[in-house]
Amino acid sequence: MPGILIFALCFLFASCGKQVLPPQTEYVLGTVCSVNLYDDGTRENYIDVFKRLNEIDNEFNVNKPTSDISKVNSDAGHGPVAVKKEVYELVRLSKEISLATGETFNPAMGALINLWGIGKDNQRVPSQEEINEAINHCRPENVQLKEENGSYYIEIKDEKTALDLGAIVKGFASDELAAMMEERKIKRAVIDLGGNIYCFGQKSSSNPDVLWKVGIRNPVDTTSDPVETVSIRSGSVVTSGNYERYFIENGKRYHHIIDGKTGWPADSSIASVTVVYERSVICDALATACFVAGGKRDFEEKLGLKGIKFIWVDDKGKLTER
Ligand code: ADP
Ligand code: MG
């Protein structure tokens, strides 16, 4: 009898006793990425999640010479470069968002971003002449897309123009992970890619009315309590802020979100913009765009979308929600 019991217990354990790991964290996409898969947090699922993030990093990272984007940049002015379909698609969407946002979000700003080098060893305040020169090489229309016989190409028509998808790729990556979770029937997860948050699935298995809560950091004093808490059923919450990456010279802060019209770090009175929507890729790009534009604009309408929530905090700590 005990033998049968042990056998039955072993069988039960083997069939439903999958080992669940704690949330996992890895440095990828140039930031700290944490994923919590809760009850579906098997070793295999976590391995695949971070494999996918590394794959995306290898395609889009401008600091990796072998990435598709780096290959396109280094061949600028010298003809089309074959890229993966998803690279083509994200550049296409980036151009569309750039058009809809009056280029406040602009994926072709590599020349200016490299000139400032914010967050890198070579960061510095460039001369106005250098800025004026770089501004001439940030036109999204110089990035051309071509699809031919099932192959995808990107061509930059000007030698000094470069793509930089740093303001959208974390959103794209979050959506990709959410799609993977959907496919695997993972019940709930929190994806945090350097503060780019995606809450996937139903928070409570027993009560559908329990919402996810995401705090918005106080951009004026990042050590204090959140300025606001967003409650969502599921979806993404993304913030762009002037406190994320910057350097200080002669008492002035130079942060990493550049206004392509002036060539200087965006200088509206906004300290952070948070965008809440089901698609993280839209949140990410629009958070950057609204930060540069200085608040909510008609971007949502221009993109033909609905139901996006915008929350912005000015440099005095005042919060506006729309
Ligand atoms: P974070 O990456 O800190 O979450 P963002 O999503 O706002 O913040 O992206 C900022 C990054 O995007 C910069 O580091 C730079 O690589 C790039 N970038 C800066 N300004 C712009 C802009 N106006 N449009 C598009 N990309 C930008
Ligand atoms: Mg962004």
Side-chain angles (χ1 to χ4, degrees):
M1 196 60 172
I4 292 171
L5 190 68
I6 288 166
F7 176 76
L9 282 174
C10 287
F11 182 74
L12 199 71
F13 186 73
S15 60
C16 56
K18 62 185 176 192
Q19 199 198 351
V20 172
L21 300 177
Q24 301 288 302
T25 300
E26 205 177 290
Y27 191 86
V28 56
L29 295 169
T31 191
V32 179
C33 296
S34 299
V35 176
N36 188 350
L37 297 175
Y38 296 90
D39 301 341
D40 296 299
T42 58
R43 208 176 112 77
E44 188 200 5
N45 278 338
Y46 280 120
I47 285 174
D48 291 347
V49 157
F50 286 99
K51 214 192 215 167
R52 182 70 179 117
L53 288 180
N54 278 291
E55 189 175 86
I56 293 170
D57 197 26
N58 289 334
E59 288 166 0
F60 291 95
N61 194 331
V62 284
N63 299 316
K64 289 188 174 173
T66 53
S67 74
D68 282 25
I69 295 296
S70 291
K71 285 187 203 155
V72 170
N73 286 344
S74 59
D75 266 6
H78 300 287
V81 175
V83 296
K84 287 185 201 70
K85 185 181 180 199
E86 67 181 21
V87 173
Y88 173 96
E89 294 289 0
L90 190 59
V91 173
R92 196 193 52 69
L93 177 65
S94 296
K95 282 190 71 178
E96 185 188 330
I97 297 175
S98 170
L99 194 68
T101 62
E103 293 179 20
T104 49
F105 166 86
N106 177 356
M109 266 178 36
L112 274 170
I113 292 162
N114 296 334
L115 180 64
W116 281 91
I118 292 169
K120 303 218 186 95
D121 295 341
N122 60 338
Q123 60 186 16
R124 66 184 176 97
V125 181
S127 70
Q128 189 61 49
E129 289 73 45
E130 288 174 299
I131 291 174
N132 295 346
E133 156 67 9
I135 286 179
N136 290 328
H137 302 287
C138 294
R139 297 199 184 98
E141 59 272 24
N142 277 336
V143 178
Q144 299 191 355
L145 298 159
K146 191 173 69 179
E147 187 189 342
E148 211 169 69
N149 304 326
S151 295
Y152 298 86
Y153 302 89
I154 302 178
E155 175 173 6
I156 301 182
K157 287 288 190 182
D158 161 53
E159 250 181 42
K160 292 186 180 168
T161 297
L163 284 165
D164 184 312
L165 299 192
I168 195 168
V169 75
K170 293 200 290 285
F172 167 75
S174 297
D175 289 341
E176 286 299 304
L177 292 190
M180 178 195 262
M181 288 164 195
E182 190 87 54
E183 211 171 275
R184 292 182 179 207
K185 305 209 168 7
I186 285 172
K187 285 183 277 311
R188 59 175 178 146
V190 173
I191 303 159
D192 176 351
L193 310 182
N196 188 310
I197 309 289
Y198 198 115
C199 302
F200 176 86
Q202 185 172 306
K203 180 160 172 40
S204 158
S205 56
S206 55
N207 183 354
D209 294 331
V210 178
L211 302 180
W212 296 100
K213 290 194 185 336
V214 181
I216 298 179
R217 202 184 267 188
N218 182 343
V220 183
D221 175 8
T222 51
T223 58
S224 72
D225 289 341
V227 274
E228 172 74 304
T229 302
V230 177
S231 297
I232 47 166
R233 196 159 293 285
S234 68
S236 184
V237 181
V238 177
T239 302
S240 273
N242 61 10
Y243 55 85
E244 282 167 32
R245 226 176 304 150
Y246 62 86
F247 67 94
I248 292 180
E249 199 175 287
N250 296 328
K252 190 165 163 39
R253 183 197 297 219
Y254 297 95
H255 63 77
H256 71 313
I257 303 172
I258 309 289
D259 182 341
K261 301 259 174 348
T262 65
W264 289 76
D267 195 16
S268 61
S269 56
I270 303 274
S272 79
V273 178
T274 301
V275 181
V276 186
Y277 188 55
E278 65 218 25
R279 289 172 66 196
S280 195
V281 73
I282 297 293
C283 295
D284 197 2
L286 291 192
T288 305
C290 292
F291 186 91
V292 173
K296 182 184 185 301
R297 294 288 178 271
D298 61 349
F299 303 156
E300 187 179 21
E301 293 75 12
K302 287 241 172 75
L303 286 166
L305 301 172
K306 264 196 191 121
I308 307 179
K309 188 198 259 185
F310 297 85
I311 302 163
W312 62 99
V313 182
D314 72 12
D315 51 14
K316 309 268 177 326
K318 184 175 157 276
L319 184 141
T320 313
E321 204 161 330
R322 265 233 192 115

